[in-house]
Amino acid sequence: MKVFDSLLKTKEQKGAGYFVLIDPDKQEINEAIELAHKCVKADVDALLVGGSLLFGPVFEDLIKSIKSECDIPVIIFPGSTRQISQYADAILFLSLISSRNPNNIIGDQVIAAPVLKAMELEPISTAYLFIESGNVTSAQYLSDTRPFPREKPDITMAHALAAEYLGMKMVYLEAGSGAKQSVPESLIEALANYISIPMIVGGGIRTPDEARSKVESGASFVVTGNVLERNHDLGLLRAFSNAVHIGHK
Ligand code: 1GP
């Protein structure tokens, strides 16, 4: 089964899916493997691997090591065209549609597409949108783009609908890693009533209650990164997973 289809099945069976982000620069490979093992135990639905920057050369080794040790889907969440690996199960094929810089929208994708095909890596076409979050995040700074205002849902709604009409499979509402404020529930709810493709929500989510409230507002998938980077607490992972899996029988 394709990874995207299995994500849809997860959403159908559990109400929503929970993804844990592993930034290759933020931990050693052995630490990432330890976290991945705990994610399996906690019923995390997939690992996202990627980062805005890469300081170290471990990207591919990290994915290969996780895949050789753990039975969990690994989906690349690329910060640049350097973040591609044949060892992953799929890649979020992102187009930063909140940008007006053609490189963020189609340029990098043209560079990456033939490589993905040659590697037979499943691309999951995903519209990536930055939402104002109280601070300038690395992704915003590096892409030189402005986030959408929190209080103007119509801007985000129009972009997300355009993504759906362009045939993209998912929308990723990104407050940014370490965001002061996560994506507001009112915005998630407005989108859930307006578009019909699944929504990933991430950035600045620090508690299981917050994660649950994103799902109750209409998020299909919730991502956490920072909160578990330093603290691989299995109890906390399980609490996030249970909070997100609202439809789990
Ligand atoms: C970033 O949404 C992810 O793309 C995760 O953000 O590190 O703030 O959880 P945090």
Side-chain angles (χ1 to χ4, degrees), residues 21 77 128 172 174 176-179 202-205 223-227:
L21 173 65
F77 175 38
Y128 196 38
Y172 192 138
E174 174 68 276
S177 195
I205 298 172
V223 185
T224 64
N226 270 285
V227 73

Side-chain angles (χ1 to χ4, degrees), residues 3 6 8 14 72 79 102 159 167 192-193 245:
V3 174
S6 74
L8 293 182
K14 301 181 182 173
I72 188 167
H159 279 77
N193 290 324
H245 295 148

Side-chain angles (χ1 to χ4, degrees), residues 63-129:
I63 293 178
K64 193 176 170 186
S65 308
I66 292 173
K67 283 309 298 180
S68 68
E69 298 229 9
C70 303
D71 184 18
I72 188 167
V74 171
I75 303 173
I76 297 173
F77 175 38
S80 74
T81 53
R82 281 179 58 210
Q83 298 177 27
I84 294 178
S85 165
Q86 60 184 317
Y87 298 105
D89 297 291
I91 182 167
L92 294 183
F93 197 63
L94 302 174
S95 178
L96 180 56
I97 66 163
S98 55
S99 171
R100 290 297 179 268
N101 174 346
N103 277 332
N104 297 330
I105 302 165
I106 184 64
D108 286 344
Q109 294 72 5
V110 169
I111 292 168
V115 184
L116 304 185
K117 187 171 175 69
M119 286 181 176
E120 297 181 10
L121 185 59
E122 179 186 336
I124 303 175
S125 169
T126 303
Y128 196 38
L129 294 84

Side-chain angles (χ1 to χ4, degrees), residues 210-223:
E210 215 180 332
R212 161 134 342 198
S213 133
K214 306 302 173 200
V215 175
E216 285 172 346
S217 305
S220 313
F221 303 98
V222 171
V223 185

